PDB file of all heavy atoms in Angstrom:
ATOM      1  N   SER A 965     109.961 118.142 100.746  1.00  0.00           N
ATOM      2  CA  SER A 965     110.666 117.171  99.910  1.00  0.00           C
ATOM      3  C   SER A 965     109.869 116.881  98.646  1.00  0.00           C
ATOM      4  O   SER A 965     108.640 116.993  98.633  1.00  0.00           O
ATOM      5  CB  SER A 965     110.895 115.864 100.684  1.00  0.00           C
ATOM      6  OG  SER A 965     111.543 114.898  99.881  1.00  0.00           O
ATOM      7  N   ASP A 966     110.595 116.469  97.600  1.00  0.00           N
ATOM      8  CA  ASP A 966     109.938 116.039  96.365  1.00  0.00           C
ATOM      9  C   ASP A 966     110.160 114.553  96.105  1.00  0.00           C
ATOM     10  O   ASP A 966     109.831 114.051  95.034  1.00  0.00           O
ATOM     11  CB  ASP A 966     110.439 116.855  95.166  1.00  0.00           C
ATOM     12  CG  ASP A 966     111.869 116.507  94.776  1.00  0.00           C
ATOM     13  OD1 ASP A 966     112.588 115.879  95.579  1.00  0.00           O
ATOM     14  OD2 ASP A 966     112.269 116.848  93.640  1.00  0.00           O
ATOM     15  N   GLY A 967     110.715 113.843  97.098  1.00  0.00           N
ATOM     16  CA  GLY A 967     111.062 112.444  96.885  1.00  0.00           C
ATOM     17  C   GLY A 967     110.389 111.509  97.863  1.00  0.00           C
ATOM     18  O   GLY A 967     109.556 111.902  98.676  1.00  0.00           O
ATOM     19  N   VAL A 968     110.796 110.246  97.762  1.00  0.00           N
ATOM     20  CA  VAL A 968     110.291 109.187  98.629  1.00  0.00           C
ATOM     21  C   VAL A 968     111.493 108.446  99.202  1.00  0.00           C
ATOM     22  O   VAL A 968     112.459 108.172  98.478  1.00  0.00           O
ATOM     23  CB  VAL A 968     109.410 108.191  97.846  1.00  0.00           C
ATOM     24  CG1 VAL A 968     108.800 107.152  98.786  1.00  0.00           C
ATOM     25  CG2 VAL A 968     108.320 108.914  97.081  1.00  0.00           C
ATOM     26  N   PRO A 969     111.500 108.107 100.491  1.00  0.00           N
ATOM     27  CA  PRO A 969     112.604 107.317 101.039  1.00  0.00           C
ATOM     28  C   PRO A 969     112.746 105.982 100.307  1.00  0.00           C
ATOM     29  O   PRO A 969     111.776 105.450  99.753  1.00  0.00           O
ATOM     30  CB  PRO A 969     112.187 107.097 102.504  1.00  0.00           C
ATOM     31  CG  PRO A 969     111.216 108.189 102.791  1.00  0.00           C
ATOM     32  CD  PRO A 969     110.493 108.451 101.510  1.00  0.00           C
ATOM     33  N   ASN A 970     113.942 105.430 100.326  1.00  0.00           N
ATOM     34  CA  ASN A 970     114.170 104.151  99.663  1.00  0.00           C
ATOM     35  C   ASN A 970     113.311 103.040 100.243  1.00  0.00           C
ATOM     36  O   ASN A 970     112.869 102.145  99.523  1.00  0.00           O
ATOM     37  CB  ASN A 970     115.652 103.766  99.763  1.00  0.00           C
ATOM     38  CG  ASN A 970     116.541 104.668  98.940  1.00  0.00           C
ATOM     39  OD1 ASN A 970     116.111 105.204  97.921  1.00  0.00           O
ATOM     40  ND2 ASN A 970     117.777 104.854  99.369  1.00  0.00           N
ATOM     41  N   ASP A 971     113.084 103.075 101.537  1.00  0.00           N
ATOM     42  CA  ASP A 971     112.246 102.086 102.213  1.00  0.00           C
ATOM     43  C   ASP A 971     111.172 102.846 102.992  1.00  0.00           C
ATOM     44  O   ASP A 971     111.331 103.124 104.184  1.00  0.00           O
ATOM     45  CB  ASP A 971     113.099 101.229 103.158  1.00  0.00           C
ATOM     46  CG  ASP A 971     112.335 100.052 103.732  1.00  0.00           C
ATOM     47  OD1 ASP A 971     111.093 100.085 103.709  1.00  0.00           O
ATOM     48  OD2 ASP A 971     112.980  99.089 104.199  1.00  0.00           O
ATOM     49  N   PRO A 972     110.053 103.188 102.326  1.00  0.00           N
ATOM     50  CA  PRO A 972     109.049 104.040 102.980  1.00  0.00           C
ATOM     51  C   PRO A 972     108.519 103.501 104.309  1.00  0.00           C
ATOM     52  O   PRO A 972     108.432 104.263 105.279  1.00  0.00           O
ATOM     53  CB  PRO A 972     107.944 104.144 101.919  1.00  0.00           C
ATOM     54  CG  PRO A 972     108.657 103.962 100.617  1.00  0.00           C
ATOM     55  CD  PRO A 972     109.728 102.942 100.905  1.00  0.00           C
ATOM     56  N   PRO A 973     108.151 102.222 104.438  1.00  0.00           N
ATOM     57  CA  PRO A 973     107.644 101.750 105.741  1.00  0.00           C
ATOM     58  C   PRO A 973     108.678 101.880 106.854  1.00  0.00           C
ATOM     59  O   PRO A 973     108.351 102.283 107.972  1.00  0.00           O
ATOM     60  CB  PRO A 973     107.286 100.282 105.473  1.00  0.00           C
ATOM     61  CG  PRO A 973     107.033 100.220 104.005  1.00  0.00           C
ATOM     62  CD  PRO A 973     108.024 101.169 103.406  1.00  0.00           C
ATOM     63  N   GLN A 974     109.934 101.551 106.552  1.00  0.00           N
ATOM     64  CA  GLN A 974     110.975 101.660 107.574  1.00  0.00           C
ATOM     65  C   GLN A 974     111.216 103.112 107.952  1.00  0.00           C
ATOM     66  O   GLN A 974     111.471 103.425 109.117  1.00  0.00           O
ATOM     67  CB  GLN A 974     112.273 101.021 107.088  1.00  0.00           C
ATOM     68  CG  GLN A 974     113.355 100.930 108.159  1.00  0.00           C
ATOM     69  CD  GLN A 974     112.921 100.087 109.333  1.00  0.00           C
ATOM     70  OE1 GLN A 974     112.418  98.979 109.155  1.00  0.00           O
ATOM     71  NE2 GLN A 974     113.083 100.607 110.550  1.00  0.00           N
ATOM     72  N   ALA A 975     111.131 104.008 106.970  1.00  0.00           N
ATOM     73  CA  ALA A 975     111.301 105.432 107.267  1.00  0.00           C
ATOM     74  C   ALA A 975     110.212 105.925 108.217  1.00  0.00           C
ATOM     75  O   ALA A 975     110.478 106.722 109.124  1.00  0.00           O
ATOM     76  CB  ALA A 975     111.292 106.247 105.972  1.00  0.00           C
ATOM     77  N   LEU A 976     108.959 105.449 108.027  1.00  0.00           N
ATOM     78  CA  LEU A 976     107.893 105.814 108.948  1.00  0.00           C
ATOM     79  C   LEU A 976     108.224 105.386 110.378  1.00  0.00           C
ATOM     80  O   LEU A 976     108.040 106.147 111.328  1.00  0.00           O
ATOM     81  CB  LEU A 976     106.579 105.167 108.517  1.00  0.00           C
ATOM     82  CG  LEU A 976     105.830 105.764 107.329  1.00  0.00           C
ATOM     83  CD1 LEU A 976     104.610 104.921 107.023  1.00  0.00           C
ATOM     84  CD2 LEU A 976     105.432 107.206 107.592  1.00  0.00           C
ATOM     85  N   VAL A 977     108.719 104.165 110.515  1.00  0.00           N
ATOM     86  CA  VAL A 977     109.070 103.655 111.834  1.00  0.00           C
ATOM     87  C   VAL A 977     110.205 104.459 112.446  1.00  0.00           C
ATOM     88  O   VAL A 977     110.147 104.896 113.600  1.00  0.00           O
ATOM     89  CB  VAL A 977     109.449 102.166 111.765  1.00  0.00           C
ATOM     90  CG1 VAL A 977     109.998 101.680 113.110  1.00  0.00           C
ATOM     91  CG2 VAL A 977     108.254 101.330 111.353  1.00  0.00           C
ATOM     92  N   ASP A 978     111.268 104.670 111.660  1.00  0.00           N
ATOM     93  CA  ASP A 978     112.460 105.341 112.188  1.00  0.00           C
ATOM     94  C   ASP A 978     112.160 106.779 112.610  1.00  0.00           C
ATOM     95  O   ASP A 978     112.606 107.236 113.676  1.00  0.00           O
ATOM     96  CB  ASP A 978     113.575 105.324 111.146  1.00  0.00           C
ATOM     97  CG  ASP A 978     114.126 103.928 110.892  1.00  0.00           C
ATOM     98  OD1 ASP A 978     113.866 103.031 111.721  1.00  0.00           O
ATOM     99  OD2 ASP A 978     114.795 103.736 109.858  1.00  0.00           O
ATOM    100  N   ILE A 979     111.425 107.507 111.777  1.00  0.00           N
ATOM    101  CA  ILE A 979     111.139 108.911 112.088  1.00  0.00           C
ATOM    102  C   ILE A 979     110.183 109.015 113.282  1.00  0.00           C
ATOM    103  O   ILE A 979     110.399 109.811 114.205  1.00  0.00           O
ATOM    104  CB  ILE A 979     110.559 109.634 110.863  1.00  0.00           C
ATOM    105  CG1 ILE A 979     111.635 109.768 109.777  1.00  0.00           C
ATOM    106  CG2 ILE A 979     110.020 111.012 111.249  1.00  0.00           C
ATOM    107  CD1 ILE A 979     111.113 110.302 108.450  1.00  0.00           C
ATOM    108  N   THR A 980     109.142 108.204 113.293  1.00  0.00           N
ATOM    109  CA  THR A 980     108.164 108.302 114.369  1.00  0.00           C
ATOM    110  C   THR A 980     108.751 107.816 115.688  1.00  0.00           C
ATOM    111  O   THR A 980     108.426 108.351 116.754  1.00  0.00           O
ATOM    112  CB  THR A 980     106.891 107.523 114.009  1.00  0.00           C
ATOM    113  OG1 THR A 980     106.414 108.001 112.743  1.00  0.00           O
ATOM    114  CG2 THR A 980     105.809 107.725 115.049  1.00  0.00           C
ATOM    115  N   THR A 981     109.624 106.844 115.644  1.00  0.00           N
ATOM    116  CA  THR A 981     110.312 106.417 116.857  1.00  0.00           C
ATOM    117  C   THR A 981     111.185 107.542 117.396  1.00  0.00           C
ATOM    118  O   THR A 981     111.242 107.783 118.613  1.00  0.00           O
ATOM    119  CB  THR A 981     111.186 105.182 116.586  1.00  0.00           C
ATOM    120  OG1 THR A 981     110.386 104.128 116.068  1.00  0.00           O
ATOM    121  CG2 THR A 981     111.874 104.704 117.851  1.00  0.00           C
ATOM    122  N   ALA A 982     111.882 108.240 116.494  1.00  0.00           N
ATOM    123  CA  ALA A 982     112.749 109.345 116.913  1.00  0.00           C
ATOM    124  C   ALA A 982     111.944 110.518 117.463  1.00  0.00           C
ATOM    125  O   ALA A 982     112.461 111.320 118.244  1.00  0.00           O
ATOM    126  CB  ALA A 982     113.605 109.808 115.737  1.00  0.00           C
ATOM    127  N   ASN A 983     110.679 110.610 117.078  1.00  0.00           N
ATOM    128  CA  ASN A 983     109.828 111.704 117.528  1.00  0.00           C
ATOM    129  C   ASN A 983     109.197 111.348 118.871  1.00  0.00           C
ATOM    130  O   ASN A 983     107.978 111.344 119.052  1.00  0.00           O
ATOM    131  CB  ASN A 983     108.746 111.996 116.490  1.00  0.00           C
ATOM    132  CG  ASN A 983     107.966 113.263 116.793  1.00  0.00           C
ATOM    133  OD1 ASN A 983     108.416 114.119 117.566  1.00  0.00           O
ATOM    134  ND2 ASN A 983     106.795 113.386 116.198  1.00  0.00           N
ATOM    135  N   TRP A 984     110.027 111.064 119.865  1.00  0.00           N
ATOM    136  CA  TRP A 984     109.545 110.613 121.167  1.00  0.00           C
ATOM    137  C   TRP A 984     108.803 111.713 121.940  1.00  0.00           C
ATOM    138  O   TRP A 984     108.024 111.421 122.833  1.00  0.00           O
ATOM    139  CB  TRP A 984     110.701 110.060 121.998  1.00  0.00           C
ATOM    140  CG  TRP A 984     111.821 111.023 122.242  1.00  0.00           C
ATOM    141  CD1 TRP A 984     112.878 111.253 121.413  1.00  0.00           C
ATOM    142  CD2 TRP A 984     112.019 111.863 123.377  1.00  0.00           C
ATOM    143  NE1 TRP A 984     113.723 112.195 121.952  1.00  0.00           N
ATOM    144  CE2 TRP A 984     113.215 112.583 123.172  1.00  0.00           C
ATOM    145  CE3 TRP A 984     111.311 112.065 124.559  1.00  0.00           C
ATOM    146  CZ2 TRP A 984     113.713 113.503 124.092  1.00  0.00           C
ATOM    147  CZ3 TRP A 984     111.802 112.981 125.482  1.00  0.00           C
ATOM    148  CH2 TRP A 984     112.988 113.683 125.238  1.00  0.00           C
ATOM    149  N   GLU A 985     109.039 112.982 121.572  1.00  0.00           N
ATOM    150  CA  GLU A 985     108.274 114.074 122.192  1.00  0.00           C
ATOM    151  C   GLU A 985     106.938 114.311 121.489  1.00  0.00           C
ATOM    152  O   GLU A 985     106.161 115.158 121.914  1.00  0.00           O
ATOM    153  CB  GLU A 985     109.094 115.358 122.177  1.00  0.00           C
ATOM    154  CG  GLU A 985     110.305 115.317 123.079  1.00  0.00           C
ATOM    155  CD  GLU A 985     110.938 116.682 123.220  1.00  0.00           C
ATOM    156  OE1 GLU A 985     111.624 117.123 122.281  1.00  0.00           O
ATOM    157  OE2 GLU A 985     110.715 117.312 124.260  1.00  0.00           O
ATOM    158  N   GLN A 986     106.712 113.590 120.401  1.00  0.00           N
ATOM    159  CA  GLN A 986     105.475 113.691 119.634  1.00  0.00           C
ATOM    160  C   GLN A 986     105.216 115.122 119.149  1.00  0.00           C
ATOM    161  O   GLN A 986     104.109 115.663 119.281  1.00  0.00           O
ATOM    162  CB  GLN A 986     104.292 113.150 120.434  1.00  0.00           C
ATOM    163  CG  GLN A 986     104.449 111.681 120.798  1.00  0.00           C
ATOM    164  CD  GLN A 986     103.221 111.093 121.467  1.00  0.00           C
ATOM    165  OE1 GLN A 986     102.105 111.413 121.100  1.00  0.00           O
ATOM    166  NE2 GLN A 986     103.429 110.216 122.440  1.00  0.00           N
ATOM    167  N   LEU A 987     106.251 115.741 118.603  1.00  0.00           N
ATOM    168  CA  LEU A 987     106.072 117.059 117.998  1.00  0.00           C
ATOM    169  C   LEU A 987     105.262 116.910 116.711  1.00  0.00           C
ATOM    170  O   LEU A 987     105.376 115.909 116.005  1.00  0.00           O
ATOM    171  CB  LEU A 987     107.437 117.670 117.667  1.00  0.00           C
ATOM    172  CG  LEU A 987     108.426 117.854 118.819  1.00  0.00           C
ATOM    173  CD1 LEU A 987     109.695 118.517 118.300  1.00  0.00           C
ATOM    174  CD2 LEU A 987     107.816 118.660 119.951  1.00  0.00           C
ATOM    175  N   PRO A 988     104.458 117.900 116.372  1.00  0.00           N
ATOM    176  CA  PRO A 988     103.772 117.847 115.081  1.00  0.00           C
ATOM    177  C   PRO A 988     104.794 117.880 113.935  1.00  0.00           C
ATOM    178  O   PRO A 988     105.703 118.721 113.940  1.00  0.00           O
ATOM    179  CB  PRO A 988     102.908 119.112 115.074  1.00  0.00           C
ATOM    180  CG  PRO A 988     102.813 119.526 116.508  1.00  0.00           C
ATOM    181  CD  PRO A 988     104.093 119.097 117.155  1.00  0.00           C
ATOM    182  N   ILE A 989     104.659 116.966 113.008  1.00  0.00           N
ATOM    183  CA  ILE A 989     105.481 116.969 111.801  1.00  0.00           C
ATOM    184  C   ILE A 989     104.571 117.288 110.628  1.00  0.00           C
ATOM    185  O   ILE A 989     103.701 116.498 110.262  1.00  0.00           O
ATOM    186  CB  ILE A 989     106.195 115.629 111.579  1.00  0.00           C
ATOM    187  CG1 ILE A 989     107.155 115.340 112.739  1.00  0.00           C
ATOM    188  CG2 ILE A 989     106.961 115.643 110.249  1.00  0.00           C
ATOM    189  CD1 ILE A 989     107.909 114.011 112.597  1.00  0.00           C
ATOM    190  N   HIS A 990     104.770 118.457 110.057  1.00  0.00           N
ATOM    191  CA  HIS A 990     103.996 118.896 108.898  1.00  0.00           C
ATOM    192  C   HIS A 990     104.801 118.631 107.627  1.00  0.00           C
ATOM    193  O   HIS A 990     106.032 118.707 107.641  1.00  0.00           O
ATOM    194  CB  HIS A 990     103.665 120.380 109.009  1.00  0.00           C
ATOM    195  CG  HIS A 990     102.925 120.745 110.256  1.00  0.00           C
ATOM    196  ND1 HIS A 990     101.586 120.471 110.438  1.00  0.00           N
ATOM    197  CD2 HIS A 990     103.344 121.353 111.408  1.00  0.00           C
ATOM    198  CE1 HIS A 990     101.204 120.900 111.631  1.00  0.00           C
ATOM    199  NE2 HIS A 990     102.246 121.436 112.237  1.00  0.00           N
ATOM    200  N   GLY A 991     104.096 118.346 106.553  1.00  0.00           N
ATOM    201  CA  GLY A 991     104.781 118.033 105.301  1.00  0.00           C
ATOM    202  C   GLY A 991     104.365 118.949 104.166  1.00  0.00           C
ATOM    203  O   GLY A 991     103.179 119.268 104.018  1.00  0.00           O
ATOM    204  N   VAL A 992     105.357 119.378 103.385  1.00  0.00           N
ATOM    205  CA  VAL A 992     105.096 120.062 102.123  1.00  0.00           C
ATOM    206  C   VAL A 992     105.622 119.134 101.035  1.00  0.00           C
ATOM    207  O   VAL A 992     106.832 118.960 100.871  1.00  0.00           O
ATOM    208  CB  VAL A 992     105.799 121.430 102.055  1.00  0.00           C
ATOM    209  CG1 VAL A 992     105.556 122.079 100.696  1.00  0.00           C
ATOM    210  CG2 VAL A 992     105.311 122.338 103.178  1.00  0.00           C
ATOM    211  N   ALA A 993     104.695 118.492 100.340  1.00  0.00           N
ATOM    212  CA  ALA A 993     105.047 117.481  99.340  1.00  0.00           C
ATOM    213  C   ALA A 993     105.144 118.131  97.970  1.00  0.00           C
ATOM    214  O   ALA A 993     104.147 118.594  97.416  1.00  0.00           O
ATOM    215  CB  ALA A 993     104.015 116.369  99.337  1.00  0.00           C
ATOM    216  N   LEU A 994     106.345 118.165  97.448  1.00  0.00           N
ATOM    217  CA  LEU A 994     106.565 118.719  96.117  1.00  0.00           C
ATOM    218  C   LEU A 994     106.587 117.623  95.062  1.00  0.00           C
ATOM    219  O   LEU A 994     106.870 117.896  93.897  1.00  0.00           O
ATOM    220  CB  LEU A 994     107.899 119.478  96.085  1.00  0.00           C
ATOM    221  CG  LEU A 994     108.113 120.531  97.176  1.00  0.00           C
ATOM    222  CD1 LEU A 994     109.477 121.201  97.003  1.00  0.00           C
ATOM    223  CD2 LEU A 994     107.003 121.570  97.159  1.00  0.00           C
TER     224      LEU A 994
END
């Protein structure tokens, strides 16, 4: 991605909560 979520702290919570299997999430920041 080249952007930022509208509410960055909430996005951290929502994504990490959804990652209940704790898969590695790698990022390519453009």
